Amino acid sequence: MNVKYINPFISATINTFKGFLGADLKTEKPSLFDSNKSEIRYDISGIIGLAGEVRGAVVISFPKLVALKIVSDFLKEDIKIFGEDVIDTVGELVNIIAGNAKRDMEEFRIVISLPSVVKGPNHQISWMQGVPVILIPFKSNYGPVYLFVSLKDII
Amino acid sequence: MKILVVDDSRIMRNVLKNILKEKQIDENAILEAGNGVEALEMLKNNEVDLILLDWNMPKLNGIELVKIVRNHERLKEIPIIMVTSEAARYNVMEAIKAGVTDYIIKPIRGEIVHKKLEELLGQ
C-alpha cells in the first residue's frame, strides 16, 4: 500500500478529535498489522468501506473504557453503558475521519460507505485479501486509539 | 419558524439541536428525521423554513433528498444546509449542483452553524 494513503488519515483523525472533542492525539509509529501476532486490545470498532478509484476500509478501534470516556466527554455526561450512544458516536467518528481524509486524496474519486460498528472483546475484522493493513496507534488522554487503514488504488 | 434536522446519527441530531437552541430557537420548532424518507414525510406534513441535512444516510441519502425537494413545487425554495463529513471539493461541487444552499463540513462548530443561520434566516 502506498504510504501517501496514510497521512490523510492521520491528519483527519487528529483534526477530528480536536474538532469533535477538543482532544489532542499523539501519533505513534505506524506498523504493518497482523491480527495473529498483535498484542493490542480493543472492544469496539467503527468501520467505513471505501469504493471508487481507491478501495478498502478504514477502521477506528478503542478499548471499552476509552470509548466510554470519549463518549462521556462528547456528551458531557457520565456514560457507563456500553450501548447505543457509544455505537452511534464511534460510527460518526469514523465517518468524519474518512470524509475528511478524502479532502487530501482528491486525485482519486472515492465513495465512502455508511459506517458499521462492531463490539466484542478483540473481535476479528475480515480485511480485503492481499492488501496490507497499516496500524496507526495514537496516544490520548482517554487512553489508546487505534486506526487501521487498508487501501489499494485501482487506476 | 420550523427547522428540520436530518441525520442518521441521533447523537449528531442532538448536537445540532443544542446548537440551534443556543440561538434561542424553541425546541418545538425543531423537527428531526433519521433519513431522507423520514424527512420527506416531515416535509409533507409541515411548513419548514430550513433543512440541516446529512449526506450519507440509509434509505434515501442527502443528495437524493435535495434533488426531490428542488423539483417539488411547494418545497423547492426551502434553504438547505448540507452538514456532512464529505470534505472533498468534488463532493461540495456535487452538492451545489444538486441545489444545496450552503455546506458545512463535520466536525461541526457551533459558531459556523450560527453564522449560516444569521445569513439565511436573519436569526
Side-chain angles (χ1 to χ4, degrees):
Chain A
M1 182 170 62
N2 196 318
V3 72
K4 71 182 175 187
Y5 297 145
I6 301 300
N7 286 338
F9 289 96
I10 292 175
S11 302
T13 305
I14 290 170
N15 293 338
T16 298
F17 270 75
K18 192 74 184 171
F20 209 66
L21 299 152
D24 291 313
L25 291 188
K26 188 165 178 276
T27 314
E28 299 192 285
K29 194 171 177 250
S31 60
L32 203 59
F33 178 68
D34 181 342
S35 59
N36 295 319
K37 293 179 186 163
S38 177
E39 292 181 355
I40 64 166
R41 294 287 172 266
Y42 45 82
D43 301 293
I44 188 163
S45 295
I47 304 165
I48 286 264
L50 288 92
E53 293 170 356
V54 169
R55 290 193 180 168
V58 178
V59 175
I60 190 158
S61 301
F62 310 96
K64 179 179 172 180
L65 286 178
V66 174
L68 286 170
K69 280 190 216 170
I70 287 171
V71 178
S72 297
D73 201 11
F74 182 61
L75 299 180
K76 296 179 179 60
E77 57 181 291
D78 192 14
I79 303 293
K80 290 193 165 65
I81 299 167
F82 198 44
E84 280 305 313
D85 285 345
V86 181
I87 290 171
D88 194 333
T89 306
V90 169
E92 194 60 24
L93 266 173
V94 73
N95 182 41
I96 295 173
I97 290 166
N100 278 252
K102 283 172 62 177
R103 182 165 33 196
D104 293 329
M105 302 172 74
E106 288 190 342
E107 69 269 36
F108 300 111
R109 191 94 183 181
I110 304 168
V111 179
I112 60 176
S113 73
L114 292 172
S116 308
V117 178
V118 182
K119 271 198 319 179
N122 256 25
H123 48 268
Q124 288 280 324
I125 292 166
S126 291
W127 298 96
M128 196 159 57
Q129 286 208 332
V131 184
V133 181
I134 304 297
L135 163 64
I136 305 142
F138 295 91
K139 269 188 183 165
S140 76
N141 286 340
Y142 308 110
V145 172
Y146 303 112
L147 184 76
F148 302 87
V149 181
S150 176
L151 298 177
K152 69 168 183 178
D153 55 47
I154 59 164
I155 58 167
Chain B
M1 185 185 60
K2 284 206 167 81
I3 297 178
L4 175 60
V5 176
V6 191
D7 197 307
D8 57 335
S9 162
R10 186 180 59 81
I11 298 278
M12 291 315 296
R13 293 200 303 272
N14 285 344
V15 168
L16 279 166
K17 277 164 62 182
N18 288 334
I19 290 171
L20 294 174
K21 283 192 250 173
E22 284 167 11
K23 275 301 237 183
Q24 277 71 53
I25 291 168
D26 190 89
E27 184 154 13
N28 295 324
I30 305 169
L31 307 173
E32 283 183 64
N35 58 59
V37 173
E38 286 178 21
L40 273 178
E41 198 61 30
M42 290 278 180
L43 288 164
K44 210 189 304 176
N45 298 319
N46 295 277
E47 291 293 329
V48 170
D49 300 281
L50 174 68
I51 305 171
L52 299 178
L53 179 64
D54 188 19
W55 184 315
N56 293 313
M57 295 182 292
K59 296 184 183 172
L60 186 70
N61 73 32
I63 288 293
E64 291 164 332
L65 181 68
V66 171
K67 289 175 182 168
I68 292 169
V69 168
R70 290 294 176 245
N71 283 303
H72 189 284
E73 197 49 42
R74 182 175 68 83
L75 306 174
K76 66 183 178 190
E77 301 296 335
I78 300 174
I80 301 173
I81 304 178
M82 185 138 268
V83 185
T84 176
S85 65
E86 294 280 9
R89 269 174 298 187
Y90 57 79
N91 290 130
V92 180
M93 295 313 293
E94 184 181 346
I96 289 169
K97 202 172 155 200
V100 301
T101 317
D102 217 324
Y103 201 95
I104 294 174
I105 294 170
K106 294 177 182 175
I108 305 163
R109 283 168 49 207
E111 64 268 29
I112 294 198
V113 178
H114 292 164
K115 189 167 169 276
K116 306 282 185 195
L117 287 176
E118 282 163 20
E119 287 168 6
L120 288 170
L121 301 173
Q123 189 80 27

